[in-house]
Amino acid sequence: TLGKILLKKVSARYSDDVAGNTFTCYQGNVRTSITQFDPTNGMYAIPALHLDDVSAGVRFFKPTVILKQALNAVVDTVATKPSGIGLKLDTIGIQRFKLVYKDELSAMDMALNVGHFRTLPEKIDIANTSFKIKQLELAATKFTMDAGKAPATTPKKEAPKETAAKPLPWRVDIAKLSLTNDTVGYNDNTQKPLKTGMDYSHLYLSQIAIDADAVVAASDQYRANIKQVSFDEKSGFKLSQLSTDAVYTDTAMSLKNLLVRTNHSVIRSQAYARYTSVTQLSKQPGNAFVDLDLVHDSIAVQDVIMIMPAMQAQLKKYERNVLHVNGKAKGYVKNISIPNFEASGIGNTALQLNGNIQGLPDGAKAYYNINLKKLVTSRRDIQNFAPPKTIPDSIRIPENISMTGSFKGTQN
């Protein structure tokens, strides 16, 4: 037992001109206690660890001192299971932690400013790479990343390819996850910023809040009972609410009781997909089984334009409209049944149909068996949606169109 440990105003600096890296650290206040310290048997117990006013910096740069390599490095690519170290942690608390990371070789800068971090570990199993956490809190924290154009480097001779080691299984369980008033920023400075809409090369999310239970992140699955996700994006897009019971595994994915709210849209859905493997899903998506239920969703066109700025020219005239969607789809993608699908709200156009489609995802070769219950539209809607100069002047489109009927066949 080492008992209580208190460190105040401790500074450290390490620089390696051969490797090309520098590390600096300042610890304002570190408080902890170690009730068990047994290196012989690998057993350690730390009831509490508190860090206040800590700052650190990491910098990678082109080495200024070059040493002649005497021996070739030998790299062991065999995955090694972690040793059986017993570590017991009760509480970890961090207040006012700053980290600045700068990589001049890849033109990458990152900054992390933690306002409040607190976690209550339940079980740490290093030997099996398994971690159980009762509670994890992160508040008033900001993370930014800036990517630039990396400087040119001298090409290196390719090393002989080695067989990749099979990754070891790992698992993290978080009983209660809470994020409050956090911020995330990303800038790809090699890309020109967009004038309007959400720019995925220059994102800035603020007022991030997440409330989730039963969070699992593992080598073979991800799942969480998400009660609330919300944020503001600098483009003006605001996610007011997102809640769902989400599951993703190597053979299935699902979103139960999905609810999404923005200032203008409401989406209520259920989605489920089953497949043999992720590889099979990417190579043969038609063999995947899906079950989709859209429950009277209302999707604002201005939200669509905000999320997909490339659609602005096509949808600009309907910016104040709201698309209403209701429908179901079930079956294998290559043989999907649609008991009902309804869509309206864009101009004067409304659609209602049911049927079956065989041969997807290749829409050009698929066979359609569609019962068109209702299709109403207008000349204005057709002209607005059709690409420029695709409708000859010699063709006169009726002012209003109403259709019912059925279609069996392919597009060709």
Side-chain angles (χ1 to χ4, degrees):
T1 301
L2 298 181
K4 294 182 179 180
I5 297 176
L6 177 61
L7 301 175
K8 286 191 175 184
K9 298 181 179 180
V10 178
S11 298
R13 177 181 174 84
Y14 171 82
S15 184
D16 189 337
D17 292 337
V18 176
N21 57 66
T22 298
F23 172 77
T24 59
C25 180
Y26 172 80
Q27 301 174 349
N29 190 352
V30 178
R31 293 170 289 123
T32 186
S33 60
I34 302 177
T35 57
Q36 185 177 12
F37 186 79
D38 186 357
T40 302
N41 297 305
M43 301 298 294
Y44 306 90
I46 305 174
L49 174 62
H50 297 279
L51 290 82
D52 302 332
D53 301 307
V54 177
S55 60
V58 179
R59 174 176 171 252
F60 292 94
F61 54 91
K62 186 177 180 180
T64 57
V65 178
I66 307 297
L67 298 180
K68 185 177 180 180
Q69 188 174 359
L71 297 173
N72 292 328
V74 177
V75 179
D76 184 5
T77 59
V78 178
T80 303
K81 193 173 183 179
S83 60
I85 297 177
L87 178 61
K88 187 176 187 300
L89 288 170
D90 290 340
T91 303
I92 300 176
I94 300 176
Q95 302 284 343
R96 300 176 298 279
F97 172 87
K98 295 181 180 180
L99 172 65
V100 176
Y101 173 94
K102 186 176 183 64
D103 189 342
E104 299 174 4
L105 301 178
S106 61
M108 179 74 70
D109 293 347
M110 291 184 285
L112 175 65
N113 191 337
V114 178
H116 167 81
F117 172 83
R118 180 174 178 267
T119 184
L120 301 174
E122 180 179 353
K123 183 179 180 181
I124 298 177
D125 187 349
I126 298 176
N128 295 301
T129 327
S130 177
F131 308 90
K132 286 188 176 182
I133 299 173
K134 298 177 184 177
Q135 185 174 353
L136 192 151
E137 301 172 358
L138 184 65
T141 294
K142 183 177 182 180
F143 172 78
T144 58
M145 175 187 294
D146 289 270
K149 185 177 180 180
T153 57
T154 304
K156 295 182 180 179
K157 294 183 179 180
E158 291 187 6
K161 292 185 178 180
E162 300 174 345
T163 303
K166 184 179 180 180
L168 294 172
W170 56 273
R171 183 181 176 107
V172 178
D173 292 74
I174 304 175
K176 176 68 175 177
L177 175 66
S178 175
L179 276 66
T180 308
N181 192 26
D182 295 324
T183 303
V184 174
Y186 170 75
N187 280 299
D188 183 351
N189 295 316
T190 65
Q191 302 296 320
K192 185 178 180 180
L194 298 179
K195 293 182 179 179
T196 59
M198 193 175 294
D199 187 345
Y200 297 96
S201 295
H202 302 275
L203 284 171
Y204 192 84
L205 307 178
S206 61
Q207 301 293 322
I208 299 174
I210 298 178
D211 182 8
D213 294 340
V215 179
V216 177
S219 53
D220 60 350
Q221 64 176 297
Y222 295 88
R223 63 178 69 227
N225 177 20
I226 302 172
K227 296 180 177 180
Q228 169 71 354
V229 175
S230 61
F231 62 78
D232 296 345
E233 211 281 325
K234 66 178 177 62
S235 61
F237 178 81
K238 181 181 179 66
L239 178 64
S240 303
Q241 181 181 4
L242 186 155
S243 60
T244 185
D245 189 358
V247 176
Y248 171 81
T249 71
D250 291 340
T251 58
M253 63 178 74
S254 69
L255 295 173
K256 294 181 180 180
N257 302 317
L258 174 66
L259 174 60
V260 179
R261 291 182 185 272
T262 71
N263 285 346
H264 314 285
S265 302
V266 179
I267 297 175
R268 301 179 182 89
S269 301
Q270 307 270 356
Y272 171 78
R274 184 179 72 244
Y275 39 87
T276 304
S277 67
V278 176
T279 301
Q280 182 254 6
L281 179 63
S282 61
K283 292 183 177 180
Q284 298 176 318
N287 292 333
F289 179 87
V290 297
D291 188 352
L292 178 65
D293 189 3
L294 306 176
V295 186
H296 299 288
D297 294 338
S298 301
I299 305 172
V301 174
Q302 59 183 301
D303 283 342
V304 176
I305 295 175
M306 191 73 71
I307 296 173
M308 297 184 290
M311 299 289 291
Q312 183 175 14
Q314 188 174 0
L315 298 176
K316 182 67 176 177
K317 294 181 180 179
Y318 298 102
E319 190 170 6
R320 296 184 180 277
N321 290 39
V322 177
L323 174 64
H324 301 284
V325 181
N326 184 52
K328 295 177 181 290
K330 188 174 183 179
Y332 290 94
V333 174
K334 61 185 178 183
N335 187 16
I336 192 78
S337 295
I338 306 172
N340 181 55
F341 179 79
E342 304 171 35
S344 63
I346 303 299
N348 297 313
T349 300
L351 172 68
Q352 183 177 3
L353 58 81
N354 58 38
N356 174 267
I357 305 175
Q358 299 178 13
L360 293 176
D362 190 345
K365 297 181 180 179
Y367 181 84
Y368 297 83
N369 183 0
I370 302 298
N371 177 27
L372 185 62
K373 292 185 176 181
K374 180 178 73 172
L375 173 59
V376 295
T377 187
S378 65
R379 178 197 305 169
R380 179 183 178 186
D381 288 349
I382 294 175
Q383 291 175 338
N384 286 337
F385 276 106
K389 300 181 179 180
T390 57
I391 302 177
D393 295 336
S394 58
I395 296 179
R396 182 184 178 278
I397 302 174
E399 187 70 27
N400 295 292
I401 299 173
S402 178
M403 298 174 60
T404 61
S406 62
F407 172 79
K408 293 182 179 181
T410 64
Q411 294 184 16
N412 300 323

